[in-house]
Amino acid sequence: MKQIEGGVCAAKGFTANGIHCGIRKNKTKRDLALIKSEVMANAAAVYTTNLVKGAPISVTKENIADGKAIAVICNSGNANTCNKNGVEVARKMCDITAKALGISTNDVVVASTGVIGQELDITPIAEGMDELAKGLGDNSVNAAEAIMTTDTVLKETAFSFNVGGVECRIGGIAKGSGMIHPNMATMLVFVTTDCAISSDMLKKALSDDIKTSFNMVSVDGDTSTNDMVSVLANGMAGNKEITEEGVDYEAFKEALAGVTRYLCRMIAKDGEGATKMLECKVDGAPTEEDATKIAKSVVCSSLFKSAMFGADANWGRVLCAIGYCGADIDVEKIDLSFASEAGKIDVCKDGYGIEFSEDTAKEILVCDEIQILISLKQGEYEATAWGCDLTYDYVKINGDYRT
Amino acid sequence: MKQIEGGVCAAKGFTANGIHCGIRKNKTKRDLALIKSEVMANAAAVYTTNLVKGAPISVTKENIADGKAIAVICNSGNANTCNKNGVEVARKMCDITAKALGISTNDVVVASTGVIGQELDITPIAEGMDELAKGLGDNSVNAAEAIMTTDTVLKETAFSFNVGGVECRIGGIAKGSGMIHPNMATMLVFVTTDCAISSDMLKKALSDDIKTSFNMVSVDGDTSTNDMVSVLANGMAGNKEITEEGVDYEAFKEALAGVTRYLCRMIAKDGEGATKMLECKVDGAPTEEDATKIAKSVVCSSLFKSAMFGADANWGRVLCAIGYCGADIDVEKIDLSFASEAGKIDVCKDGYGIEFSEDTAKEILVCDEIQILISLKQGEYEATAWGCDLTYDYVKINGDYRT
C-alpha cells in the first residue's frame, strides 16, 4: 500500500467538480460539489448520532438503502437542518442531479453543511447544475474546496493497494473544522474506490473503521447534526470481488484506514482556530473501551487544550481528564510523556509528578504536532485520538459565525 | 427565609479568617483560610467523582467519617494532588490546625486548590498558623478571599430561616472559576449553619441538594480532582434538632438551597474569562434525567458558549446540543426562546426555525445574564443548569496558568 496523489478521482472511473453556484455570498468560494462514478457503485455510509439530523441525512439513507449509488451532491453554506421544507429540498437536490447526469434520483447521495435553521434555496443549485456537471473531470480539488466551511486547508488523499495481484485505488476528500466530536460521522467525508467489494463487506469495513478513525477526532466536543462518511466502490479495478473476510478484505481495510487516518489528522490539525494537532496515544489499558475513553477525554479537555495552545506542560490536566472520563483504572500506575519532532520528555511516573526541565518541555510543546503518550501498565489495549488546541481564534470564529 | 449579609460567620458560633502565608508568590493574595465553630458541629461533605483525587479529599473523608468536625483549613495556590507525600502533608495541615485551636486532628476538614503535581511545602502553613488562628473573628470575607484562585469576585452569601419558631442562619463561601463541571463537588464550597440537625439528615440534605445545584454548573467541562462541598452545623441556634423529614427538614433544605443556588450563579457568572452568565431552563421533559441532560448539554457546548460571547442568536447550536446529549425525546416538539432583562424572543417552534428580529435578539443577548428557555412539551419534568460564555480570556487564562 502506498500513498499517491489525488483525492476522489484517484480511483478508476470517478470524476468530480466543484463550483460557486450562489448559496454563499462570497463569489470566490465554491459551494456545490459533485462526484460521479462511470458505473453503478456499491455504497455505504455512516451518519451522525445526533437526534437532530439534517434533512439530507434521511434522504441519503433512503437512497442507499439498496447499497447502490452513482453520484454524490453536496453544498456548503447551509446545513438544510431544522427547516420545515428540508426533506423536500434535499430530494429536489437529488432530482436535479439525477436529471443532469441521466441517472435515477435514488442513486444520489446528498449532503449539506453550514448554518442550521435557515431555509436552503434550491434556485442557485438548479441554475448551477449544468455548469457543475459539464465540468466533471479530474477535479477532486474543486470538489474538496466546495465542501469546505471554516476549513482553512483543503483535505484530500489517496492510496494504491493490491488485491489478488490487481492494483486498486482509494481516495477521499473531507471537511472538518468546527462541530467536530466523536460519535460517528462528525464531518463530511467522501471516499471513492475502484476496488470490487460487495455492498455488505463495504458496510462492514466502514462501520469498523470509523470506530478508530473519525470517532476518535474531536475539535470542540460538539457532535454535528449533518455529518456523514460515505464510500462508493465501483469495482473498475477489475479485482475479484471481495465478498468475505480474508487477505483481500484486510488489504482493503488497510487502504481504507490509510485514507481515513490521514484525513482524521488533517481534520484535527485544521480544527477551528487550531495552531497545533494533538495526538493522544494510550497503551496498557485493561479494555479497549477504557483506552478509547481516556484518549478521547484528553483531547476533549478545554483546560488541557488551552495549556497546549500556551505550550505549557501542565500534565496535571491530563491526569485530571483521565480521572473523570469514566474508565475503570488504577491511576497510580500511569506514566505520561509529551513528544514532538523536537524530542520526548517524561513528566509523570506511576501517577505522580517527576522532575523535568521546563525548557525542554517548552521546546517540545511549541511544535505544531504534539503527542501525548499515556502508558497505563494494566493491560494490553490501546487507542489513539486526535484533537487540537483551544485558541483565541476558535472563540473568534464561533462568536460570530452567522453574521 | 430571607437573604442576609455575610458568609460563613453569619451563623452563631462560627468565626473565620484568611491570610497570606506564602504558598502564593504574590504577597497581596491571601492563600490560607480557616473556619472554626465554637462547639462540635455535625459535618457532611460531598467530593469530586474524579478518580484522580487530591490528597486532602481522602484525609477529610477519614476525619469526618464520624459525622463531626470543628474546623476547616484550606489553602489556595497548590492542589496537593498527584504528589507522593500528598496525604502526609494534608495530615500535617490538620495537625498544625488542631494544635493551634486546641482540638483533635480528626475534627478538621482539609482542602487545597491550585496547581496539580507540585509538592506542597508545609513550612509557610506551619509558620502562618498562629497569625491565622489569632485573627479568627467575623472575617468571612478574608476566608473567601483566601480560597480564590482565578476567581475575580469574592463569593459569599447567607440566609436566615425559621425552624419551629427559632431563627436559624446558614451561610457559605465558594471558589469556582476553572475546572468546573458537573459531577459533584466541582469547586470548593464551605457552608456553616447554627441550625441543629442530625448528622444523617445533614448528609441527606446535602446529597440531595447538589444534584440540582453544583452538579448543574459547568464552566468548561473539566471535573476537578480536588473539589468538595462541606457543611458544618453546630446547633447553636437552639432549635429542636432535626432528625427526620418533615416541615423543619424542608425549611432547612430550602435555606440550604438558597445558599447553594446563589453561589452556583456566582460561580457560573465568574467562570474563567466569562463575560456573561447562561441559565438554561428546560421544562416539559418526559423524565428528570432527560431534562438534566439537556440543560447541562446546552451550557457545556463550546460552540453555543462562543455564540453567546458574540451575542449571536445561533439557536441551531442549542438544538444541536439537545440532539447529541443522549436524552430520548422528540426533537420536533421543541420550542426555544432567549431572554434577559432586555426582553424575550422566540426563535424556534416545534423544532423548526421561526422568523425573528436579529436586532431584538442582539439587544437581549448583549446583557450579562442570559436565559435559554427550552420547552419540550412532552412531559412534566424540568431542570436548570448554569454556565458562562467561552471567551478569549478563558483561553488566555488557561494557556499559561502555571507560569
Side-chain angles (χ1 to χ4, degrees), chain B residues 157-199:
Chain B
T157 189
F159 284 79
S160 69
F161 60 108
N162 193 292
V163 175
V166 178
E167 194 202 38
C168 300
R169 291 176 168 210
I170 186 166
I173 60 173
K175 70 134 299 220
S177 230
M179 232 189 235
I180 301 297
H181 184 70
N183 255 335
M184 177 34 286
T186 54
M187 62 279 295
L188 291 180
V189 180
F190 304 111
V191 177
T192 57
T193 180
D194 48 22
C195 180
I197 178 168
S198 72
S199 173

Side-chain angles (χ1 to χ4, degrees), chain A residues 78-388:
Chain A
N78 186 314
N80 192 18
T81 300
C82 296
N83 301 323
K84 271 199 181 149
N85 68 351
V87 168
E88 190 190 328
V89 170
R91 286 208 180 111
K92 269 190 198 155
M93 278 176 73
C94 295
D95 291 345
I96 292 165
T97 308
K99 202 174 160 197
L101 301 179
I103 62 174
S104 159
T105 193
N106 298 328
D107 291 325
V108 180
V109 169
V110 58
S112 297
T113 176
V115 180
I116 299 173
Q118 292 180 4
E119 287 194 7
L120 172 61
D121 183 6
I122 194 73
T123 318
I125 297 172
E127 290 178 0
M129 187 56 70
D130 252 14
E131 180 195 347
L132 184 67
K134 275 185 187 145
L136 279 171
D138 187 12
N139 298 322
S140 176
V141 165
N142 292 0
E145 272 181 24
I147 65 172
M148 288 164 72
T149 53
T150 52
D151 303 66
T152 64
V153 174
L154 181 153
K155 299 171 186 72
E156 66 164 20
T157 189
F159 284 79
S160 70
F161 60 108
N162 193 294
V163 174
V166 177
E167 193 203 38
C168 300
R169 289 175 168 210
I170 185 167
I173 60 174
K175 72 132 300 221
S177 229
M179 236 190 235
I180 302 297
H181 184 69
N183 257 334
M184 173 34 293
T186 53
M187 60 278 296
L188 292 180
V189 181
F190 304 111
V191 177
T192 57
T193 180
D194 48 23
C195 179
I197 178 168
S198 72
S199 173
D200 284 350
M201 295 310 287
L202 187 64
K203 271 184 210 164
K204 183 173 159 50
L206 181 61
S207 303
D208 284 354
D209 184 80
I210 57 147
K211 288 177 203 157
T212 53
S213 61
F214 299 111
N215 283 0
M216 295 302 283
V217 177
S218 180
V219 167
D220 55 12
D222 277 279
T223 303
S224 168
T225 52
N226 276 56
D227 299 343
M228 70 160 87
V229 179
S230 74
V231 188
L232 265 57
N234 69 7
M236 287 182 72
N239 61 297
K240 179 164 172 283
E241 190 180 57
I242 300 168
T243 55
E244 57 185 16
E245 295 193 37
V247 179
D248 292 352
Y249 178 69
E250 290 307 317
F252 177 76
K253 275 191 73 172
E254 191 192 349
L256 178 63
V259 170
T260 57
R261 295 307 173 285
Y262 188 86
L263 293 175
C264 279
R265 294 173 60 101
M266 286 193 88
I267 287 168
K269 194 163 181 170
D270 192 31
E272 280 177 346
T275 68
K276 55 187 78 178
M277 188 193 73
L278 311 178
E279 181 173 66
C280 181
K281 286 173 170 280
V282 175
D283 64 35
T287 69
E288 190 174 351
E289 199 192 349
D290 288 327
T292 300
K293 276 184 189 167
I294 290 171
K296 277 164 77 165
S297 184
V298 171
V299 299
C300 288
S301 159
S302 293
L303 276 171
F304 179 63
K305 286 153 58 90
S306 299
M308 289 298 97
F309 173 54
D312 178 11
N314 201 328
W315 61 267
R317 292 180 180 170
V318 176
L319 258 74
C320 179
I322 296 172
Y324 64 64
C325 76
D328 185 17
I329 53 137
D330 178 357
V331 295
E332 299 207 339
K333 287 187 176 170
I334 301 172
D335 290 354
L336 172 62
S337 311
F338 295 118
S340 73
E341 57 181 7
K344 177 169 175 272
I345 192 163
D346 300 331
V347 291
C348 168
K349 174 117 185 101
D350 297 325
Y352 295 105
I354 52 177
E355 283 201 28
F356 62 89
S357 156
E358 291 281 352
D359 289 344
T360 308
K362 201 72 157 181
E363 277 167 32
I364 289 166
L365 295 179
V366 295
C367 295
D368 62 1
E369 294 195 6
I370 309 294
Q371 288 192 314
I372 303 99
L373 307 170
I374 299 167
S375 285
L376 300 172
K377 299 182 302 190
Q378 49 203 289
E380 298 301 313
Y381 293 89
E382 51 187 44
T384 302
W386 298 275
C388 58

Side-chain angles (χ1 to χ4, degrees), chain B residues 352-370:
Chain B
Y352 295 105
I354 53 178
E355 283 200 28
F356 61 90
S357 155
E358 292 281 351
D359 290 343
T360 308
K362 202 71 158 183
E363 277 167 33
I364 289 166
L365 296 179
V366 294
C367 296
D368 63 1
E369 294 195 6
I370 309 294

